């Protein structure tokens, strides 16, 4: 076991973490899968409006790989197939008939081979839980990853409590680790928070190499951990969220699609913050009623405030998200001489406001960017929030110049949007580093 003490980074300390209170919401009346959650891939439908489905029935598959299915979390009827720009499919909505009829898949035994695991996970809708670096997209089953990484900590603002959501999943997590260990000839790396109170599922698990991390966000990002444990060069590694590992174990133990999810609702714009046990693709409205909103104009975000996606109240929780963040919308107009105000409640990385010294606790943030677009400012601050051997500004400029050789030399294959999210947050020029990095990754993938 190695211990990594990271000093670079920044904790935003947003007020409104979810209380450790769990409500079993059960399966909602409607659920939806959103193909836009799976970047870089186009879906091909296997159902139409009116189709009857069981839990585990395929709704669509990847155009580039027909074997990878995306399945229904409930039994019922397909009632909507919603499309966006250029008729792209954005939602496949299934109405729950509450019969809980499910397709059956093969269970796991010691003799189960790697090929059988991949085939069962692909047919059973579990394969999209496995993602790869570089490019941060669904793993290609035809690849053999160098190693597989699991980040057992989340340092993002308002992140769900890892110990709380993993309680009672010890056996399924161990089974999931045993299963994914057959997918690589390398190691399974599990990273946990140094000094944190032990999580039983992680304390007793075997067949993994454990490492501990400490430090501010983004110490919990799997990309940061890969960089420090064993960086990506020209090879491919896979990564899986801890809860997803447990769901893989549950899937192979029961032979049924594991659709259960625990979702936290958090943010100071909510009156009541808590956790819900529910189903994949749950409507946001099932978790957050309008009566629970403490502000008249709120932004709902599927995920955390740094990298999440804005959703409507009538929308659905993202496939990989276990958090809905709710913060007030900022003022429509910038504050007059805002830079001249003391800023007792404004969080500032550059220590521009008095809050740095007089208010070190959590802050009530809103969506106001507190600045406007301008050219890059070479302040040296970006490197202070990225605990990796990567120079964000040089990398961004090489992407804008479409210089692939330079991008790779500057480490683009090791990062994705979440790793550079803090660079966007602290940027005095309000540049979106995540968007720039994605443009670079897409260009490299396109050029092969």
């Amino acid at each position: 076991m190695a211990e990594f003490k990271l000093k670079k980074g920044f904790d935003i300390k947003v007020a409104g973490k979810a209380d450790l209170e769990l409500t079993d919401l059960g399966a909602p009346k409607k659920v939806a899968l959103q193909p836009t959650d799976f970047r870089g891939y186009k879906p091909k439908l296997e159902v139409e409006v009116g189709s009857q489905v069981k839990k585990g029935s395929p709704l669509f598959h990847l155009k580039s790989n027909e074997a990878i299915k995306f399945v229904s979390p409930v039994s019922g009827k397909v009632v909507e197939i919603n499309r966006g720009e250029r008729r792209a499919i954005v939602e496949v909505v299934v109405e729950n008939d509450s019969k809980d009829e499910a397709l059956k898949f093969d269970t796991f035994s010691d003799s189960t081979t790697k090929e059988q695991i991949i085939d069962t996970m692909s047919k059973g809708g579990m394969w999209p839980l496995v993602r790869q670096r570089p490019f941060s997209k669904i793993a290609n089953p035809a690849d053999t990853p160098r190693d597989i990484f699991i980040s057992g900590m989340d340092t993002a603002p308002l992140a769900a409590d890892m110990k709380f959501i993993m309680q009672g999943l010890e056996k399924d997590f161990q089974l999931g680790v045993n299963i994914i260990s057959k997918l690589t000839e390398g190691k399974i790396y599990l990273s946990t928070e140094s000094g944190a109170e032990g999580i039983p599922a992680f304390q007793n698990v075997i067949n993994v190499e454990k490492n501990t991390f400490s430090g501010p966000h983004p110490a919990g990002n799997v990309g940061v951990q890969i960089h420090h444990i064993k960086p990506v060069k020209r090879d491919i590694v896979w990564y899986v969220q801890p809860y997803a590992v447990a769901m893989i174990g549950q899937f192979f133990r029961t032979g049924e699609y594991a659709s259960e999810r625990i979702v936290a609702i958090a943010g100071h714009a909510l009156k009541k913050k808590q956790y819900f046990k529910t189903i994949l693709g749950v409507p946001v409205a099932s978790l957050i009623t309008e009566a629970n909103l403490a502000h008249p104009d709120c932004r709902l975000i599927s995920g955390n405030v740094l990298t999440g996606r804005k959703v409507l109240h009538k929308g659905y929780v993202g496939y990989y998200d276990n958090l809905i963040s709710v913060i007030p919308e900022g003022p429509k107009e910038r504050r007059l001489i805002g830079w001249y105000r003391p800023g007792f409640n404004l969080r500032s990385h550059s220590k521009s406001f008095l809050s740095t010294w007089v208010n070190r606790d959590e802050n009530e943030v809103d969506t106001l960017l507190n600045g406007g677009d301008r050219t890059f400012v070479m302040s040296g601050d970006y490197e202070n929030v990225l605990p990796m051997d990567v120079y964000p500004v040089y990398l961004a400029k090489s992407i804008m110049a479409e210089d692939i050789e330079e991008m790779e030399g500057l480490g683009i294959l090791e990062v994705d949007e979440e790793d550079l999210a803090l660079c966007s947050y602290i940027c005095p020029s309000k540049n979106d580093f995540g968007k720039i990095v994605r443009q670079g990754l897409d260009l490299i993938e396109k050029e092969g």
Side-chain angles (χ1 to χ4, degrees):
M1 175 187 289
E3 183 176 359
F4 298 91
K5 298 179 179 178
L6 307 185
K7 295 182 178 178
K8 293 182 178 180
F10 185 61
D11 287 325
I12 299 178
K13 295 182 180 178
V14 179
K17 290 201 75 168
D19 298 326
L20 299 182
E21 177 184 339
L22 182 66
T23 297
D24 191 346
L25 193 66
K29 190 61 182 173
K30 286 183 180 180
V31 296
L33 286 194
Q34 303 168 94
T36 49
D37 286 336
F38 313 104
R39 66 164 64 98
Y41 293 109
K42 293 182 179 178
K44 187 171 180 60
L45 287 171
E46 296 197 17
V47 293
E48 58 186 19
V49 174
S51 297
Q52 294 289 335
V53 294
K54 295 180 180 179
K55 183 168 78 170
S57 296
L59 300 177
F60 56 89
H61 61 257
L62 298 182
K63 271 188 177 179
S64 57
N65 190 336
E66 188 176 345
I68 299 179
K69 310 287 187 182
F70 298 80
V71 305
S72 174
V74 297
S75 64
K77 184 171 70 173
V78 178
V79 292
E80 295 177 43
I81 297 176
N82 299 320
R83 296 177 181 270
E85 294 182 4
R86 300 184 180 182
R87 292 189 53 73
I89 301 167
V90 294
E91 290 174 349
V92 180
V93 183
V94 179
E95 186 176 69
N96 183 11
D97 63 7
S98 302
K99 295 180 181 177
D100 202 27
E101 296 176 321
L103 295 183
K104 285 290 184 182
F105 300 95
D106 295 336
T107 54
F108 179 77
S109 67
D110 292 339
S111 61
T112 304
T113 64
K114 173 186 174 182
E115 291 72 24
Q116 290 171 326
I117 291 171
I118 292 174
D119 181 62
T120 306
M121 288 182 65
S122 299
K123 286 191 298 188
M126 301 299 291
W127 189 257
L129 295 174
V130 182
R131 289 177 284 176
Q132 72 165 56
R133 289 288 180 104
F135 306 119
S136 294
K137 63 178 191 176
I138 297 172
N140 183 353
D143 293 332
T144 299
R146 186 198 68 200
D147 301 294
I148 298 178
F149 290 80
I150 305 168
S151 174
M153 55 189 287
D154 191 344
T155 51
L158 301 176
D161 186 285
M162 189 66 72
K163 184 177 182 180
F164 189 71
I165 64 175
M166 292 299 294
Q167 61 185 349
L169 296 174
E170 293 82 8
K171 291 183 179 178
D172 284 336
F173 183 75
Q174 179 63 71
L175 180 57
V177 167
N178 295 344
I179 291 165
I180 63 175
S181 66
K182 289 201 168 193
L183 302 179
T184 177
E185 297 173 356
K187 295 180 178 178
I188 307 293
Y189 290 98
L190 171 64
S191 301
T192 58
E193 187 172 4
S194 178
E197 191 178 355
I199 299 175
F202 301 159
Q203 281 182 323
N204 305 318
V205 66
I206 58 174
N207 291 336
V208 299
E209 179 170 312
K210 298 179 183 177
N211 297 287
T212 62
F213 281 80
S214 62
H217 184 65
N221 285 8
V222 71
V224 172
Q225 296 167 2
I226 294 170
H227 176 83
H228 287 276
I229 296 170
K230 197 172 181 181
V232 174
K233 301 297 182 184
R234 278 285 180 179
D235 39 22
I236 292 174
V237 300
W238 290 353
Y239 64 99
V240 192
Q241 295 171 322
Y243 193 83
V245 174
M247 290 301 99
I248 291 171
Q250 187 184 104
F251 169 72
F252 277 100
R253 175 173 59 80
T254 63
E256 291 187 9
Y257 180 61
S259 59
E260 184 181 290
R261 296 291 185 273
I262 293 179
V263 181
I265 60 169
H268 60 92
L270 288 174
K271 296 175 184 174
K272 185 176 176 63
K273 305 97 177 171
Q274 64 170 114
Y275 291 77
F276 288 99
K277 180 186 287 188
T278 182
I279 297 294
L280 172 68
V282 62
V284 174
S286 296
L287 307 176
I288 301 173
T289 62
E290 293 189 1
N292 194 23
L293 297 175
H295 289 260
D297 189 14
C298 296
R299 181 173 298 186
L300 282 65
I301 302 165
S302 182
N304 67 67
V305 295
L306 286 173
T307 58
R309 172 174 55 86
K310 180 181 177 181
V311 292
L312 300 176
H313 193 248
K314 63 180 181 180
Y316 299 87
V317 179
Y319 185 87
Y320 296 107
D321 298 329
N322 61 2
L323 169 68
I324 295 291
S325 306
V326 186
I327 58 175
E329 290 285 358
K332 302 301 179 188
E333 298 179 357
R334 292 172 60 182
R335 298 181 179 94
L336 180 64
I337 57 172
W339 54 272
Y340 199 62
R341 300 187 180 195
F344 289 109
N345 295 313
L346 289 177
R347 190 71 177 162
S348 170
H349 173 261
S350 60
K351 301 180 181 178
S352 303
F353 300 109
L354 288 177
S355 61
T356 305
W357 291 274
V358 301
N359 183 8
R360 296 173 180 271
D361 298 328
E362 296 174 335
N363 296 106
E364 295 188 353
V365 303
D366 58 32
T367 60
L368 187 65
L369 292 178
N370 292 304
D373 296 335
R374 57 179 71 90
T375 55
F376 276 115
V377 178
M378 299 290 284
S379 62
D381 285 338
Y382 304 108
E383 289 77 8
N384 292 330
V385 296
L386 181 61
M388 303 172 76
D389 188 18
V390 173
Y391 295 96
V393 175
Y394 292 110
L395 175 60
K397 290 184 174 180
S398 68
I399 295 169
M400 293 174 176
E402 299 187 350
D403 187 337
I404 292 178
E405 186 177 350
E406 185 77 2
M407 289 181 222
E408 294 185 349
L410 289 167
I412 190 173
L413 297 179
E414 292 197 68
V415 299
D416 77 352
E417 292 94 326
E418 70 174 9
D419 298 322
L420 275 76
L422 278 172
C423 296
S424 304
Y425 176 76
I426 68 162
C427 182
S429 308
K430 306 307 169 189
N431 291 297
D432 188 344
F433 281 77
K435 183 179 179 180
I436 295 171
V437 165
R438 181 48 56 187
Q439 289 172 350
L441 291 170
D442 289 345
L443 178 62
I444 291 174
E445 199 170 14
K446 180 181 177 183
E447 296 295 329

